[in-house]
Amino acid sequence: MWSRAVRWGTFIAGLASIVLVFGFASSTMYGIEHGANLIAYWHIALAWTSSVALATTFLGSVFYLRYEGRFWNRLAHSAGEIGFLFATLTLITGSIWGKVIWNSWWEWSDVRLVTFLIVWLVYAGYLVVYSSTENSDDERYASVYGVLGFVTVPISYAATRLWTPTFHEATLGNGNVSANIDPLTLVVSILAVTFLYAYLMGVRIKLHELEDKVLWGRRHNR
């Protein structure tokens, strides 16, 4: 039932997001009218959901270090892979949107961009550490990395509040934001990407279980 609910949730929320973005949302943001501005709704949704995924990696790593259950390690890695994918898409969509709004693909002076790139690099490192220690006695290293690396996520989120932003405005809790983003469309888009994340998590964990079964079979057939 849960799997069916997630699949239907992904489909319905995704369809609703597409209808709202292309049918009702304004393509004018920061005083600039351009169709590419609509990508902002999925850019923000991807950024938010990648943070949720990396928080899952953090929690899975904590539980693995505490209880050493194989499930927790696989949960942390599955979320880390999907979080890294969503973070990559966040950077790509943000670059496209930034070219329209700020006439620049990238700005090193913007604290949000730089700190989010650091998050991306940290979790690229997590995947490398995990792949090099998987199915060995050193799997705890990936979990320790997953715990320590998560500190970059809240720093990136708070960057526009801790330092003066060059381009990015704080959108949540900022009544003076000038991006002209429709709240309903944004919430539905975040919900759609969150459902997609939940669906992909289920698929990736099942793949991990199949990999473990294949590995167990090989070891016992030698």
Side-chain angles (χ1 to χ4, degrees):
M1 289 182 61
W2 170 251
S3 178
R4 190 180 301 113
V6 170
R7 288 199 300 270
W8 276 105
T10 302
F11 173 76
I12 293 172
L15 182 61
S17 174
I18 292 172
V19 170
L20 287 173
V21 168
F22 291 108
F24 298 95
S26 172
S27 61
T28 301
M29 293 186 184
Y30 295 103
I32 298 175
E33 184 177 356
H34 196 288
N37 282 328
L38 298 175
I39 205 173
Y41 291 99
W42 293 311
H43 167 70
I44 296 172
L46 285 165
W48 168 258
T49 312
S50 66
S51 298
V52 172
L54 300 179
T56 306
T57 296
F58 168 76
L59 292 174
S61 299
V62 168
F63 283 124
Y64 179 74
L65 293 172
R66 176 64 179 85
Y67 301 109
E68 296 188 352
R70 193 170 183 82
F71 168 78
W72 298 116
N73 201 26
R74 298 299 182 253
L75 176 71
H77 177 253
S78 299
E81 278 191 335
I82 299 169
F84 179 75
L85 171 62
F86 282 12
T88 302
L89 292 175
T90 299
L91 290 173
I92 293 173
T93 55
S95 182
I96 296 171
W97 186 29
K99 180 61 177 176
V100 173
I101 296 297
W102 305 307
N103 195 32
S104 175
W105 295 104
W106 185 268
E107 284 293 333
W108 288 105
S109 61
D110 188 77
V111 292
R112 174 60 60 80
L113 286 174
V114 173
T115 54
F116 196 83
L117 177 62
I118 292 172
V119 171
W120 185 84
L121 291 171
V122 165
Y123 280 91
Y126 167 79
L127 295 179
V128 171
V129 172
Y130 183 93
S131 64
S132 63
T133 59
E134 186 179 10
N135 298 316
S136 70
D137 295 331
D138 298 327
E139 284 190 330
R140 292 175 64 87
Y141 286 116
S143 296
V144 172
Y145 191 116
V147 171
L148 298 178
F150 182 71
V151 70
T152 59
V153 176
I155 290 176
S156 178
Y157 170 76
T160 54
R161 292 170 171 83
L162 295 174
W163 299 283
T164 303
T166 305
F167 295 112
H168 280 84
E169 295 178 296
T171 52
L172 297 178
N174 183 7
N176 298 319
V177 65
S178 60
N180 191 32
I181 294 176
D182 178 61
L184 176 61
T185 304
L186 179 59
V187 169
V188 172
S189 298
I190 291 174
L191 184 63
V193 178
T194 302
F195 266 114
L196 177 61
Y197 161 67
Y199 174 75
L200 293 176
M201 276 289 290
V203 172
R204 188 62 185 95
I205 290 173
K206 286 182 179 179
L207 287 175
H208 263 310
E209 292 173 349
L210 290 174
E211 290 169 358
D212 287 344
K213 289 180 180 179
V214 170
L215 182 61
W216 184 89
R218 287 178 178 175
R219 287 175 176 176
H220 286 78
N221 288 328
R222 289 179 180 176

